Amino acid sequence: MLKNKTDKSRLPSRHVTEGPERAPHRSYFYAMDLTEEQIDQPFVGVATCWNEAAPCNIALNWQAQSVKTGVLGAGGTPREFTTITVTDGIAMGHEGMRSSLASREAIADTVELTMRGHCYDALVGLAGCDKSLPGMMMAMIRLNTPSVFLYGGSILPGKVPEGADVPEDFATRDLTVQDMFEAVGRYQAGDVSEAQLAVLERVACPSAGACGGQFTANTMACVSEAIGLALFNSSGMPAPFESRAEYGAASGAAVMNLIERNIRARDICTRKAFENAARVVACTGGSTNAGLHLPAMAHEAGIDFFLEDVCDIFRETPYFVDLKPGGQYVAKDLYEAGGVPVVMKELRKAGLMHEDCMTASGREMGEELDRVEREADGRVIYPIETPLTRTGGVVGLKGNLAPDGAIVKVAGMSAEQQVFSGPARVFESEEEAFAAVKARTYEEGEVIVIRNEGPAGGPGMREMLATTAALSGQGMGKKVALITDGRFSGATRGFCVGHVGPEAAHGGPIALLRNGDVITINAQTGELSVDLTAEELEARKAEWTGPKETNYASGALWKYAQLVGSARYGAVTHPGAKEERHVYMDL
């Protein structure tokens, strides 16, 4: 444990606390009731994405207090601050979704600026909703401070009250927000009444916490443990459980240990650690968005770990954790089965975990796994010897329609369902596609194409949950396929291909498609192609009139569109660690 009087000669906070010339700065700290002893201690930023936008973030405020208690008890001085969050469940299906992916960069940028401006020595970051998790971890890696990540926890599963008038399949299963989006599709199809919809919407999300299935938030929470930035099992406990405070206090104490040992975020987030994280995404049937966020996080460390690298790992990793949306169970069930540590223990049995990676506890991954006593329960977590499928729940695709790659979630799909060929039905935006789905002006066997929704062309690379859920609700999820240069929610199911690159705004082949072009998607062989020759594609490219004009000619989304790069590399907006000329901790 650190002593009260710390040698700050190598810590950033020396710039605001040490020497006579810093008397004005110290006067500010005294104004906030800090003692001389506290000013002399390391300053730990405790960053949260707390807000009242959605249940994902509402519990972060009180959890931050437990982190501060842990920091104080271990001889540090916590300084709490907040940053933004855009919650996808609220932003979904309208213009607000354009802000979602851009918020990831804003979170990373604002945490960086706060840490730099106030010279904090370490960071504990708390996040609860999809983009806030990678955004917070990106800031940690960018700053390369001693860092610990803490997930705010998942929501409890929804339950329909006994005797309520709803379709039987809703009444007999755990509910998530995914069910609500699909219920809208069934309402449009006439299978669910408005009164039944009203019953479901009141019970689907019964508590604080992020969406309960293995959607993007829980996927990236699993990543936080697998990559080593979070303490083992800290991501599993649901948000309403008061005992989450124990993980908060432990995270605060852990970051003080990292300061003392000078273990920084990039000491933890190595190439091997990213491979471990991708393994856990694959075996849990995690969100395709991990194929975007892992490369973005690696970019902050100067590591080349692109979409194809993620997909290679997905392809060779068994899928053995039965979670929604492809499976049956929710995050609370995974926690009760032993959580991510048991999952990683199964991966280790097959030689699929790098054990020499450092973790936030100050111990290596192998040491941490040695401490895990529980085994796979065979219900939520299958033994790796008898997986649900032999390859991961997420697959990468390439071909003349996606030279830079694309990604599709196949968890819960049979081998026969992973091959689809049909004529294109092209839409220039999500709104166009959703209107057609709502009106059912599409045909079974078609490949629905939604373009101009990429990172730059959207701008913002919107998710398409409203459209895909409506298709599933209409019973057409397995009868059509969908491809887009945008993204899909982690809650999406059905044969839905996202991240098609290059995007339409950059003149990728998806921009050249016409109604009736025959598209083939084969997740078994990794193919995404259109039945056109190279000469035909080149002729269409010569006729292409350029990207579709957007409504965003100023403001944050205009700025984002000017800076954002390809989804293949994580849709990042700055040059990354390879171009940096200093490391924050060493200034």
Side-chain angles (χ1 to χ4, degrees):
M1 185 181 293
L2 290 159
K3 296 178 181 174
N4 289 335
K5 181 63 177 175
T6 304
D7 176 7
K8 289 196 173 184
S9 61
R10 294 182 179 274
L11 294 180
S13 64
R14 72 185 186 277
H15 296 300
V16 296
T17 65
E18 302 299 290
E21 68 277 11
R22 300 309 181 203
H25 305 66
R26 290 193 295 272
S27 72
Y28 273 24
F29 299 132
Y30 286 121
M32 293 182 285
D33 293 327
L34 293 189
T35 65
E36 182 178 358
E37 181 183 47
Q38 290 172 325
I39 294 170
D40 286 340
Q41 293 175 161
F43 280 16
V44 176
V46 179
T48 82
C49 298
W50 178 86
N51 62 27
E52 294 182 333
C56 328
N57 316 303
I58 206 73
L60 296 177
N61 197 354
W62 73 261
Q63 292 185 38
Q65 309 319 305
S66 67
V67 172
K68 291 160 70 176
T69 299
V71 171
L72 285 165
T77 301
R79 309 312 297 152
E80 183 180 357
F81 64 95
T82 60
T83 184
I84 68 159
T85 307
V86 173
T87 297
D88 289 7
I90 298 290
M92 195 72 68
H94 56 87
E95 283 291 298
M97 180 48 72
R98 299 194 191 282
S99 299
S100 172
L101 186 57
S103 77
R104 185 192 71 180
E105 313 310 304
I107 290 164
D109 291 350
T110 52
V111 171
E112 176 196 1
L113 292 172
T114 302
M115 292 285 290
R116 284 185 180 276
H118 302 103
C119 297
Y120 296 152
D121 302 315
L123 175 61
V124 180
L126 297 87
C129 195
D130 296 4
K131 308 309 170 295
S132 62
L133 281 80
M136 190 66 73
M137 289 187 276
M138 287 163 65
M140 293 172 173
I141 301 167
R142 184 185 302 177
L143 291 161
N144 199 25
T145 56
S147 300
V148 178
F149 179 84
L150 182 62
Y151 181 43
S154 70
I155 200 169
L156 294 174
K159 303 281 187 182
V160 173
E162 190 173 343
D165 176 26
V166 298
E168 184 178 354
D169 56 330
F170 285 111
T172 56
R173 68 176 185 251
D174 288 341
L175 298 178
T176 69
V177 72
Q178 169 200 357
D179 297 286
M180 287 312 308
F181 280 98
E182 293 187 6
V184 170
R186 289 175 62 171
Y187 167 74
Q188 294 165 353
D191 296 333
V192 171
S193 71
E194 192 167 351
Q196 290 173 326
L197 201 61
V199 171
L200 291 170
E201 71 186 42
R202 284 165 172 77
V203 299
C205 298
S207 74
C211 301
Q214 193 65 339
F215 312 152
T216 304
N218 281 318
T219 296
M220 296 310 295
C222 292
V223 162
S224 72
E225 287 190 40
I227 209 166
L229 284 172
L231 297 178
F232 261 36
N233 220 20
S234 63
S235 69
M237 186 181 290
F241 288 20
E242 291 184 4
S243 44
R244 282 200 67 81
E246 297 172 15
Y247 286 108
S251 297
V255 84
M256 296 303 296
N257 176 52
L258 297 180
I259 294 174
E260 186 172 28
R261 296 177 58 185
N262 194 28
I263 297 173
R264 304 178 181 186
R266 294 184 200 172
D267 297 322
I268 292 171
C269 296
T270 62
R271 169 70 189 225
K272 288 181 178 180
F274 280 100
E275 292 175 1
N276 285 344
R279 295 274 183 214
V280 169
V281 174
C283 73
T284 59
S287 169
T288 55
N289 283 314
L292 194 71
H293 300 323
L294 287 173
M297 290 166 61
H299 178 74
E300 303 290 356
I303 296 170
D304 289 341
F305 191 66
F306 306 139
L307 177 63
E308 56 265 36
D309 300 307
V310 177
C311 291
D312 285 346
I313 291 171
F314 289 169
R315 186 169 53 251
E316 57 192 42
T317 306
Y319 162 52
F320 59 87
V321 187
D322 192 20
L323 296 172
K324 289 176 178 280
Q328 302 180 62
Y329 299 103
V330 296
K332 179 175 179 286
D333 300 312
L334 177 59
Y335 170 68
E336 291 172 348
V340 179
V342 174
V343 173
M344 293 193 291
K345 187 177 178 182
E346 288 299 311
L347 286 166
R348 179 168 75 165
K349 290 177 182 178
L352 296 176
M353 286 293 293
H354 297 293
E355 298 185 49
D356 57 346
C357 296
M358 182 54 65
T359 73
S361 69
R363 292 182 289 268
E364 290 189 347
M365 180 64 70
E367 296 176 78
E368 287 288 359
L369 291 174
D370 288 341
R371 297 156 67 96
V372 178
E373 296 180 355
R374 297 186 64 176
E375 299 289 341
D377 66 338
R379 184 179 71 101
V380 181
I381 306 171
Y382 283 58
I384 197 166
E385 299 85 3
T386 55
L388 292 158
T389 61
R390 290 287 170 189
T391 58
V394 181
V395 173
L397 306 173
K398 267 196 173 183
N400 69 343
L401 188 44
D404 283 353
I407 196 165
V408 61
K409 189 170 187 173
V410 296
M413 295 174 65
S414 68
E416 293 76 21
Q417 292 168 345
Q418 294 180 30
V419 180
F420 197 102
S421 185
R425 176 70 68 98
V426 181
F427 299 97
E428 302 298 336
S429 68
E430 182 191 10
E431 285 82 3
E432 279 190 19
F434 184 74
V437 170
K438 184 178 178 181
R440 305 197 74 149
T441 55
Y442 64 95
E443 301 292 335
E444 181 177 331
E446 290 182 329
V447 178
I448 294 172
V449 178
I450 306 177
R451 63 189 177 199
N452 303 306
E453 295 289 1
M461 204 180 185
R462 287 191 291 179
E463 293 180 350
M464 308 289 163
L465 180 59
T467 302
T468 59
L471 287 167
S472 293
Q474 292 175 5
M476 297 295 285
K478 296 177 182 178
K479 298 176 181 177
V480 297
L482 193 154
I483 71 169
T484 180
D485 51 6
R487 297 181 296 124
F488 291 113
S489 165
T492 290
R493 58 179 179 152
F495 209 16
C496 300
V497 178
H499 304 197
V500 173
E503 62 173 292
H506 293 162
I510 193 172
L512 313 177
L513 293 177
R514 297 172 183 168
N515 287 333
D517 289 341
V518 177
I519 294 171
T520 297
I521 311 166
N522 189 326
Q524 297 287 304
T525 62
E527 176 190 359
L528 177 58
S529 63
V530 58
D531 190 17
L532 295 171
T533 65
E535 291 75 20
E536 287 172 316
L537 284 169
E538 193 61 39
R540 290 191 186 183
K541 183 68 178 287
E543 297 171 5
W544 184 57
T545 56
K548 179 186 174 186
E549 194 173 80
T550 79
N551 289 332
Y552 297 90
S554 65
L557 286 171
W558 174 86
K559 189 189 303 182
Y560 177 81
Q562 309 311 304
L563 294 172
V564 70
S566 165
R568 177 187 181 191
Y569 303 116
V572 295
T573 57
H574 71 108
K578 285 187 177 181
E579 298 298 322
E580 70 186 6
R581 297 179 183 177
H582 74 268
V583 173
Y584 162 74
M585 284 296 291
D586 297 329
L587 276 177

